[in-house]
Amino acid sequence: MGPQCPNYRHLSLTLALLKPDITKMPYSLQHVRQMIIEKGFVIVKSNIISKMSRCKAEAFYEEHSSRFFYNRLVTYMSSGSVHAHILALPCNSVDDSNAITTWRKLMGPTKVMKTRYSEPDTIRGTFGLSDTRNCSHGSDSLETAKREIEFFFPDFDPIGFSGSLEEKELLRKHRDNLLTINQCKFVHS
């Protein structure tokens, strides 16, 4: 009999975005998806946005509207397909931010040229093109994760998910090594 998996009680959630520079490259996109799975993430929900509207990009990045890179960022984000994912990691507290910190570590720092040397095995270190075209976005706090998840998944309630039958079933399947991935939809069941 193998080692016992801990009986986690919750799933720590974060929002992950895969940006147009990575989604238009099928081989690279598949590699990033594999990195996500290998890191142990449970993919709770996925939303493939074939082309994000400029208005939606402006609303999502509104907090950066006074920054010098804002126009470049929203133009880029509305230039192609964006894949939004709710990623989760098992935890014992509803206030656990492990999914956030693990996803941000997997993405790597925003400054791509520096990241290529300092953290080359991260998503941005491997696939990033520039500070704007850096392949991915991730929430930076529990509050931001909740807001960003609700932005891309308006029918998903992160607070209601905690303790729900859906969460318990995903945890059970994770513990018993029964999770399966739908490769087309990129979501666990």
Side-chain angles (χ1 to χ4, degrees), residues 15-23 29 32 35-36 60-61 73 76-77 81-85 87 103-112 115 122-139 148:
L15 177 84
L17 293 183
L18 300 180
K19 297 179 178 182
D21 58 310
I22 198 73
T23 62
L29 176 62
V32 169
M35 291 170 80
I36 291 169
F60 183 69
Y61 287 108
L73 179 61
Y76 159 64
M77 289 300 289
S81 177
V82 173
H83 297 193
H85 306 292
L87 302 182
W103 172 241
R104 292 183 69 79
K105 186 169 175 48
L106 181 61
M107 285 191 309
T110 304
K111 303 289 184 189
V112 168
T115 302
T122 62
I123 293 168
R124 290 171 173 163
T126 303
F127 299 106
L129 302 173
S130 71
D131 293 352
T132 301
R133 296 175 187 271
N134 61 13
C135 304
S136 56
H137 167 88
S139 305
E148 291 180 346

